[in-house]
């Protein structure tokens, strides 16, 4: 099941914990992958670990021109982009009353606007191929909200509405657009938390633990597969039961 | 009929799966030839590739009929 042989996937934020796991899962299922991110070294290391079907395409998602060039670079490197995983994201947390325009703009720009541009950039090829899979990595926070993350939550909720709208438009062309909304996942981002903070978080999760990047990757693999062709416009919540939506 | 018109007609016939004689000068892609809005976007993409031209979004919106398409492409190429 879930054989991606012959499919070409572009993954943003591949230098991060979740993005790396997604790239690995798609690669292991047979896909050729283009690894995008800001930091070249971890991308090169991941590509070397994966093998010859992995390409490295550094990109600064806060730069409009770089973002618009990325789908073309990926298509040149791999021949096409059949699967797009918008995983890259940033946080600039602050209390709402203290949040600056810059904190708001930068998070919306990288998390939501770049996702819009990348989706737009891969659609032409997918429409012609009559096949495509777009998976946008949202967040539990987009559905539940979180103090200090007004900008981040807005960007992640925005992704869901955008994905549903796009899913409507391209469904007849064999293209699906879905979101995966992770809860708390153990990555470098959560390692900074103290044990006390982690205990408090785990107490709110029915599964009583954080998720793993591989558990997010498995959801992405499903939504990228041929088998998921009738699943579109949905959000798959992977959060250990923390929010049952 | 000009070479451009022939090539445009071929794309329209293939893409919208319609009879060639239905593709008249005033035939509207949406009202007469059964296209949906996404079909019109795809037609414009196909025209761009066939004729090696760029059709900006605001111009694409004005291309409603077969005749509009031929006229625009003739002027652009």
């Amino acid at each position: 099941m879930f054989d991606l042989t012959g499919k070409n996937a572009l993954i943003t934020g591949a230098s991060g914990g979740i993005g790396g796991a997604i790239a690995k899962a798609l690669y292991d299922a047979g896909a050729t992958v283009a690894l995008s991110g800001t930091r070249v070294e971890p991308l090169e290391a991941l590509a070397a670990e994966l093998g010859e079907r992995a390409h490295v395409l550094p990109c600064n998602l806060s730069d409009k021109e770089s973002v618009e060039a990325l789908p073309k670079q990926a298509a040149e490197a791999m021949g096409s982009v059949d699967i797009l995983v918008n995983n890259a994201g940033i946080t600039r947390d602050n209390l709402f009353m203290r949040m600056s325009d810059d904190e708001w703009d930068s998070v919306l720009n990288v998390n939501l606007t770049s996702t819009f541009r990348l989706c737009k950039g891969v659609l032409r090829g997918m429409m012609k191929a009559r096949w495509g899979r777009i998976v946008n990595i949202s967040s539990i926070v987009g559905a539940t909200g979180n103090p200090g993350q007004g900008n981040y939550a807005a960007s992640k909720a925005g992704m869901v509405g955008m994905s549903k709208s796009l899913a409507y438009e391209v469904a007849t062309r064999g293209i699906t657009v879905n979101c995966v909304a992770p809860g708390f996942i153990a990555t470098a981002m959560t390692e900074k938390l103290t044990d006390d903070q982690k205990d408090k978080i785990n107490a709110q999760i029915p599964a009583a633990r954080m998720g793993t990047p591989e558990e997010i990757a498995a959801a992405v693999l499903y939504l990228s597969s041929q088998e998921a062709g009738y699943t579109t416009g949905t959000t798959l919540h992977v959060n250990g039961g923390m929010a049952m939506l | 009929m000009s070479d451009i018109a022939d090539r445009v007609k071929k794309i329209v016939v293939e893409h919208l799966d319609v009879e060639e004689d239905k593709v008249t000068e005033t035939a509207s892609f949406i009202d007469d030839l059964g296209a949906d809005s996404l079909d019109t976007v795809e037609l414009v993409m196909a025209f761009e590739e066939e004729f090696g031209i760029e059709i900006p979004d605001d111009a694409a919106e004005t291309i409603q009929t077969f005749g509009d398409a031929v006229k625009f492409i003739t002027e652009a190429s």
Side-chain angles (χ1 to χ4, degrees):
Chain A
M1 217 179 194
F2 305 154
D3 181 8
L4 298 183
T5 305
K7 300 296 184 195
N8 299 318
L10 169 60
I11 301 125
T12 68
S15 50
I18 293 176
I22 292 168
K24 191 165 188 310
L26 300 188
Y27 189 93
D28 288 346
T32 297
V33 295
L35 311 171
S36 188
T38 44
R39 293 172 293 141
V40 180
E41 265 179 44
L43 293 176
E44 295 280 6
L46 179 60
E49 184 196 322
L50 293 179
E52 61 183 17
R53 284 180 287 112
H55 303 263
V56 172
L57 298 174
C59 179
N60 175 4
L61 290 182
S62 58
D63 180 59
K64 183 172 183 263
E65 278 74 35
S66 308
V67 174
E68 284 176 347
L70 184 58
K72 288 174 201 145
Q73 291 164 349
E76 276 165 25
M78 303 188 291
S80 66
V81 179
D82 310 303
I83 299 163
L84 169 66
V85 183
N86 284 300
N87 163 72
I90 59 166
T91 55
R92 295 277 296 276
D93 297 358
N94 207 342
L95 288 175
F96 210 95
M97 292 186 72
R98 295 212 174 105
M99 187 169 290
S100 67
D101 281 5
D102 182 52
E103 285 165 340
W104 174 267
D105 288 341
S106 59
V107 168
L108 267 289
N109 191 32
V110 170
N111 295 6
L112 186 58
T113 307
S114 78
T115 297
F116 157 70
R117 292 202 172 108
L118 291 175
C119 288
K120 205 174 157 193
V122 300
L123 277 175
R124 180 182 280 243
M126 289 180 178
M127 297 250 289
K128 284 180 72 175
R130 291 289 189 272
W131 201 93
R133 297 283 182 266
I134 296 176
V135 183
N136 294 325
I137 307 302
S138 179
S139 167
I140 184 175
V141 162
T144 62
N146 199 28
Q149 292 199 308
N151 49 2
Y152 184 77
S155 72
K156 293 300 183 180
M159 266 185 172
V160 172
M162 189 193 74
S163 302
K164 288 178 180 177
S165 303
L166 178 55
Y168 262 112
E169 292 186 20
V170 297
T172 56
R173 301 318 198 254
I175 304 168
T176 68
V177 188
N178 293 288
C179 291
V180 171
F184 276 100
I185 306 300
T187 63
M189 221 191 261
T190 54
E191 262 170 38
K192 289 182 216 156
L193 300 169
T194 64
D195 283 346
D196 190 39
Q197 284 174 315
K198 283 182 192 166
D199 287 345
K200 276 185 186 151
I201 289 166
N202 289 340
Q204 296 169 39
I205 305 172
R209 65 170 177 86
M210 289 194 193
T212 66
E214 289 71 26
E215 285 166 329
I216 301 306
V220 175
L221 173 60
Y222 163 64
L223 292 171
S224 302
S225 70
Q226 183 64 35
E227 287 83 348
Y230 202 56
T231 303
T232 194
T234 194
T235 299
L236 191 44
H237 291 272
V238 183
N239 60 32
M242 191 175 178
M244 301 190 190
L245 303 160
Chain B
M1 191 179 275
S2 71
D3 167 54
I4 286 177
D6 281 342
R7 285 156 73 191
V8 171
K9 183 173 281 189
K10 188 161 176 280
I11 289 170
V12 173
V13 166
E14 274 175 15
H15 193 88
L16 300 180
D17 195 21
V18 290
E19 301 287 330
E20 204 174 315
D21 56 9
K22 292 235 171 83
V23 187
T24 60
E25 182 80 11
T26 55
S28 157
F29 295 129
I30 289 176
D31 296 334
D32 302 319
L33 302 176
D36 63 20
S37 55
L38 201 57
D39 286 320
T40 63
V41 174
E42 288 190 303
L43 279 175
V44 166
M45 279 164 40
F47 298 152
E48 287 181 328
E49 280 177 26
E50 172 72 18
F51 297 97
I53 55 173
E54 283 232 6
I55 305 177
D57 289 345
D58 53 345
E61 281 168 22
T62 68
I63 300 176
Q64 303 284 334
T65 66
F66 172 65
D68 291 341
V70 174
K71 184 165 175 283
F72 183 89
I73 293 162
T74 305
E75 283 166 10
S77 53

